Amino acid sequence: MKNRLIECVPNYSEGRRPEVIEAVVEPFRRRPGCILLDYRADQDHNRLVVSLAGQPEPIQAGLIESALAALEHIDLEKHRGGHPRIGAVDVIPFIPLQNINMDECVRIAREFGNRFHKETGVPVYFYEEAALRAERRNLEVIRKGQFEVLKTEIGLPERHPDVGEPRVHPSAGATVIGARKFLIAFNVNLGTSDLKVAREIARAVRSSSGGLCHVKGIGLALADRGLTQVSMNIVDYEKNALYRVVEMIRMEARRWGVRIVETEVYGMVPAAALLDSAAYYLQFAGFERKQVIELALLDMLGKEERKEQESGHEDTETPRDTIFVS
Amino acid sequence: MKNRLIECVPNYSEGRRPEVIEAVVEPFRRRPGCILLDYRADQDHNRLVVSLAGQPEPIQAGLIESALAALEHIDLEKHRGGHPRIGAVDVIPFIPLQNINMDECVRIAREFGNRFHKETGVPVYFYEEAALRAERRNLEVIRKGQFEVLKTEIGLPERHPDVGEPRVHPSAGATVIGARKFLIAFNVNLGTSDLKVAREIARAVRSSSGGLCHVKGIGLALADRGLTQVSMNIVDYEKNALYRVVEMIRMEARRWGVRIVETEVYGMVPAAALLDSAAYYLQFAGFERKQVIELALLDMLGKEERKEQESGHEDTETPRDTIFVS
């Protein structure tokens, strides 16, 4: 855990067999510099989503080991599940977290894509910020028709992989690797069973129909609870703050006499996304991230470890944090 | 930076001479396990407030070294400033932060008080949770009349110190040491120059006049900005959440046709205090602290370091964090 931190969220096409899930996750345990934050297996989707944070190098080493385990156990010819996929290791996004920018994550993704192909034989596509062809920024363009269609279409020039020969790996398909911003999965539950209301609100708030630029969303029924849901991905929480999304939905819902019953953050969220909203509602003036004691500690820990590494050298980085309040 | 974390906020009677401030702060720099979060010197108060976080042992070692520097440079016979004080090292509170409870902080405060007296010769009073006499829970009872009055009254039985002989240190006075919860300094600025409104609202919100149990507050004029301020200490943010304080002030202010212009967190704040308010306004259901990526990282870092210390032993603490979502 030194100073450069990324997140990485590999997705695997296995959400049912516990022994396979464990074999895929195991390489991320007890690996210094790589922290296994969470992993979630979805049986309907037959898919595993792993959340990692840490330094780029140990995360990449873990990914290779984990991919080899996935290749050993997963055969896409036999795989069935509700979620679109083209590979046993389906998607690997690298996400900047601390002291690392998007350009560096793009470089990491591309270098890793080449290494991944070399060590597994699986062809690789680059997506989002790491895309080499404009249309491949969009994951769904790459995954069109899934493994079953890609098997034959991979020979077409527009479907050639970015790394490797134009043929899928017989059991592991192909893998999509890229760099993107941190994505927040955010649901707003509405006090109505009328699906039309949830769909209208989703339409009002999402970018594809003219809403907020960095929000994707659909309206869903939560039939067993008699509620409906606006289910969203906030793909840039710095530009589309959570409070703005919530207040926009609240405003639209008023038109139908509907209230927000509750909201849900699914999975991880960066502290900054919550601080932004706290600062908005509480009307903070001049608030700084380093005033949050845990965030200051986390920042300082990186510095302290660097100091230990540089022991013997003069420490020229004397903190300059005196504030004279008159 | 292992697993047991405290905060410590020593206050010194020097806010003007940069070389003295630096001599007092220096023992907290480059000390493994002790992190200097912040220090603020106030020239009017002629007072220095240092914020430390880390493990109890290195923080205490730093405090002794820092106190000896303060004794060398600060003479209360010559000290003038706007803030009440009885000592060159005036107050030292220990605050539980992570994997440590209030009882342990009380024990640390009392043991440290004895060590502090032994190494500096300065008499010690215990306050708040560490108080040995009920009335000394209140810091202002101990500091009554300040150094100038305590010099003579320390001989009275009710003013005898808890550690040491009943006479002040000739230049360094006496020191108050204790344990308390994390205190949030929080100001709400009102869109009115009418001081009466700020005072009425402070009265409505603070415990001493029947308001929220864990809020202290006064009304102040911000004359140069044409505003007034409700200036508060939230002494238990878990019981009196920030959002409840803000909304209560908003509600009271409405009576006078006054708006909240902005609010200010002065100094440090625990993440939980802001997450609580974000969760309230955004209507989070079932949100957990470990969903915040930085907080999960901080927790994992402690575990990782423990694992390194235990290397060679079998790791029995296998994470059990798979969640099957059907």
Side-chain angles (χ1 to χ4, degrees):
Chain A
M1 283 315 314
K2 299 309 172 307
N3 38 343
R4 296 201 322 154
L5 290 181
I6 60 168
E7 206 209 5
C8 184
V9 189
N11 285 227
Y12 302 83
S13 294
E14 176 59 62
R16 295 173 188 165
R17 292 174 294 168
E19 70 283 6
V20 177
I21 292 168
E22 184 49 38
V24 167
V25 168
E26 171 61 24
F28 301 117
R29 298 193 199 278
R30 285 176 292 279
R31 182 179 290 276
C34 169
I35 285 173
L36 176 60
L37 289 173
D38 186 35
Y39 59 105
R40 288 165 187 255
D42 185 308
Q43 302 199 38
D44 289 343
H45 288 175
N46 199 6
R47 191 175 179 85
L48 172 71
V49 180
V50 178
S51 290
L52 307 167
Q55 298 169 267
E57 297 73 18
I59 285 180
Q60 291 173 75
L63 286 168
I64 293 291
E65 220 178 280
S66 171
L68 293 172
L71 262 66
E72 194 183 323
H73 295 289
I74 301 171
D75 182 356
L76 279 197
E77 294 287 356
K78 297 175 187 156
H79 177 271
R80 297 289 174 274
H83 197 287
R85 83 288 179 261
I86 56 171
V89 184
D90 193 48
V91 191
I92 304 178
F94 293 93
I95 300 142
L97 217 58
Q98 197 175 287
N99 298 322
I100 195 161
N101 62 27
M102 185 57 79
D103 286 347
E104 290 172 282
C105 277
V106 167
R107 191 182 49 69
I108 288 168
R110 295 204 182 132
E111 284 178 11
F112 180 74
N114 282 283
R115 176 175 169 195
F116 182 89
H117 171 69
K118 199 173 292 172
E119 304 205 23
T120 64
V122 175
V124 168
Y125 296 87
F126 292 120
Y127 84 122
E128 293 250 355
E129 301 295 320
L132 293 171
R133 303 190 192 185
E135 71 277 14
R136 292 190 182 169
R137 292 182 71 90
N138 185 344
L139 179 59
E140 294 324 313
V141 168
I142 300 171
R143 277 203 303 223
K144 197 177 163 206
Q146 301 192 50
F147 172 70
E148 288 72 12
V149 169
L150 186 64
K151 262 198 296 189
T152 54
E153 288 194 356
I154 194 166
L156 302 175
E158 69 269 23
R159 298 211 73 173
H160 273 208
D162 293 309
V163 187
E165 296 301 307
R167 53 177 173 271
V168 298
H169 183 285
S171 60
T175 295
V176 190
I177 295 173
R180 61 164 171 82
K181 291 202 178 184
F182 196 100
L183 179 154
I184 300 176
F186 187 56
N187 300 326
V188 173
N189 295 346
L190 303 170
T192 177
S193 59
D194 185 352
L195 184 55
K196 180 172 154 284
V197 171
R199 286 183 172 158
E200 284 289 332
I201 293 174
R203 234 189 299 278
V205 79
R206 73 185 171 209
S207 59
S208 66
S209 42
L212 294 165
C213 279
H214 303 282
V215 174
K216 298 177 181 181
I218 53 171
L220 297 172
L222 302 179
D224 50 336
R225 298 184 62 193
L227 303 176
T228 48
Q229 180 177 83
V230 182
S231 179
M232 290 168 287
N233 281 332
I234 318 283
V235 297
D236 190 336
Y237 67 87
E238 289 172 314
K239 291 187 182 148
N240 285 173
L242 279 183
Y243 71 83
R244 206 174 298 138
V245 174
V246 167
E247 293 304 323
M248 188 164 168
I249 291 177
R250 210 188 299 285
M251 181 265 287
E252 293 292 332
R254 250 190 326 253
R255 170 178 180 174
W256 314 91
V258 167
R259 295 255 176 181
I260 294 176
V261 173
E262 64 189 19
T263 71
E264 302 166 348
V265 172
Y266 189 80
M268 306 301 292
V269 60
L274 303 180
L275 300 190
D276 263 9
S277 286
Y280 170 79
Y281 289 110
L282 297 173
Q283 292 183 252
F284 285 169
F287 187 76
E288 292 181 69
R289 177 186 166 88
K290 68 178 182 184
Q291 287 180 260
V292 181
I293 194 155
E294 290 87 349
L295 301 184
L297 273 171
L298 196 63
D299 288 352
M300 301 274 180
L301 280 171
K303 285 189 197 160
E304 202 177 47
E305 298 207 12
R306 252 180 298 157
K307 268 191 297 188
E308 283 172 18
Q309 290 175 332
E310 293 164 0
S311 64
H313 300 160
E314 186 70 16
D315 182 12
T316 53
E317 201 192 351
T318 307
R320 300 208 141 271
D321 46 6
T322 319
I323 299 169
F324 279 87
V325 186
S326 66
Chain B
M1 282 317 315
K2 299 307 172 308
N3 39 340
R4 297 202 320 155
L5 290 182
I6 61 169
E7 206 209 3
C8 185
V9 189
N11 285 227
Y12 302 83
S13 294
E14 176 60 61
R16 293 172 189 166
R17 293 174 294 167
E19 71 283 6
V20 176
I21 293 167
E22 184 49 38
V24 167
V25 168
E26 172 63 23
F28 302 116
R29 298 194 201 279
R30 286 177 291 279
R31 182 180 291 273
C34 170
I35 285 174
L36 176 60
L37 290 173
D38 186 37
Y39 58 105
R40 286 164 190 259
D42 185 308
Q43 303 199 38
D44 289 343
H45 288 175
N46 200 5
R47 191 175 180 84
L48 171 70
V49 179
V50 178
S51 290
L52 307 167
Q55 297 168 266
E57 298 72 19
I59 285 180
Q60 290 173 75
L63 285 168
I64 294 290
E65 218 178 282
S66 171
L68 293 173
L71 261 66
E72 194 183 322
H73 295 290
I74 302 172
D75 183 355
L76 279 197
E77 294 287 356
K78 296 176 188 156
H79 177 270
R80 298 289 173 272
H83 197 286
R85 84 286 179 261
I86 57 170
V89 184
D90 193 48
V91 191
I92 305 178
F94 293 93
I95 300 141
L97 216 58
Q98 197 175 287
N99 299 321
I100 196 162
N101 62 26
M102 185 56 81
D103 287 347
E104 291 172 281
C105 277
V106 167
R107 191 182 50 69
I108 288 168
R110 293 203 184 133
E111 285 177 11
F112 180 74
N114 281 283
R115 177 176 169 194
F116 182 89
H117 172 67
K118 198 173 293 170
E119 303 205 24
T120 64
V122 175
V124 168
Y125 295 87
F126 292 121
Y127 85 122
E128 292 250 357
E129 301 294 320
L132 293 171
R133 303 188 192 187
E135 71 275 16
R136 291 188 182 170
R137 293 182 71 89
N138 185 342
L139 179 61
E140 293 325 311
V141 167
I142 300 171
R143 275 201 305 219
K144 196 177 163 207
Q146 301 192 49
F147 172 70
E148 288 72 12
V149 169
L150 184 65
K151 262 199 295 189
T152 55
E153 288 194 354
I154 195 167
L156 303 174
E158 70 270 21
R159 302 212 69 176
H160 272 208
D162 293 308
V163 186
E165 296 300 307
R167 55 178 174 272
V168 299
H169 183 287
S171 60
T175 296
V176 191
I177 295 173
R180 61 163 171 80
K181 292 201 178 184
F182 197 102
L183 179 154
I184 301 176
F186 187 56
N187 301 325
V188 173
N189 295 344
L190 303 170
T192 176
S193 59
D194 185 351
L195 184 55
K196 181 172 154 284
V197 171
R199 286 183 171 158
E200 284 289 334
I201 293 175
R203 232 188 301 277
V205 79
R206 73 185 171 208
S207 59
S208 66
S209 43
L212 294 166
C213 279
H214 303 283
V215 174
K216 299 177 180 178
I218 52 171
L220 297 172
L222 302 180
D224 50 337
R225 298 184 61 194
L227 303 177
T228 49
Q229 178 178 85
V230 182
S231 178
M232 289 168 287
N233 281 333
I234 318 283
V235 298
D236 190 337
Y237 68 87
E238 289 171 316
K239 292 186 181 150
N240 286 173
L242 279 184
Y243 72 83
R244 205 174 298 137
V245 174
V246 167
E247 292 306 323
M248 189 165 167
I249 291 177
R250 211 189 297 284
M251 181 263 288
E252 293 292 333
R254 247 184 334 246
R255 171 179 181 173
W256 314 92
V258 167
R259 295 256 176 181
I260 295 177
V261 173
E262 64 190 17
T263 71
E264 302 166 346
V265 173
Y266 189 80
M268 305 301 292
V269 61
L274 303 181
L275 300 190
D276 264 9
S277 287
Y280 170 79
Y281 289 110
L282 297 173
Q283 293 182 251
F284 285 169
F287 187 75
E288 293 181 69
R289 178 185 164 91
K290 67 178 182 185
Q291 288 180 258
V292 181
I293 195 154
E294 289 88 348
L295 301 184
L297 273 171
L298 197 61
D299 289 351
M300 301 274 180
L301 280 172
K303 285 188 198 161
E304 201 178 49
E305 298 210 12
R306 254 179 296 156
K307 271 190 295 187
E308 284 172 17
Q309 288 173 335
E310 293 160 3
S311 62
H313 299 160
E314 186 70 14
D315 182 12
T316 54
E317 201 192 350
T318 307
R320 301 206 141 270
D321 46 6
T322 320
I323 299 169
F324 280 86
V325 186
S326 66

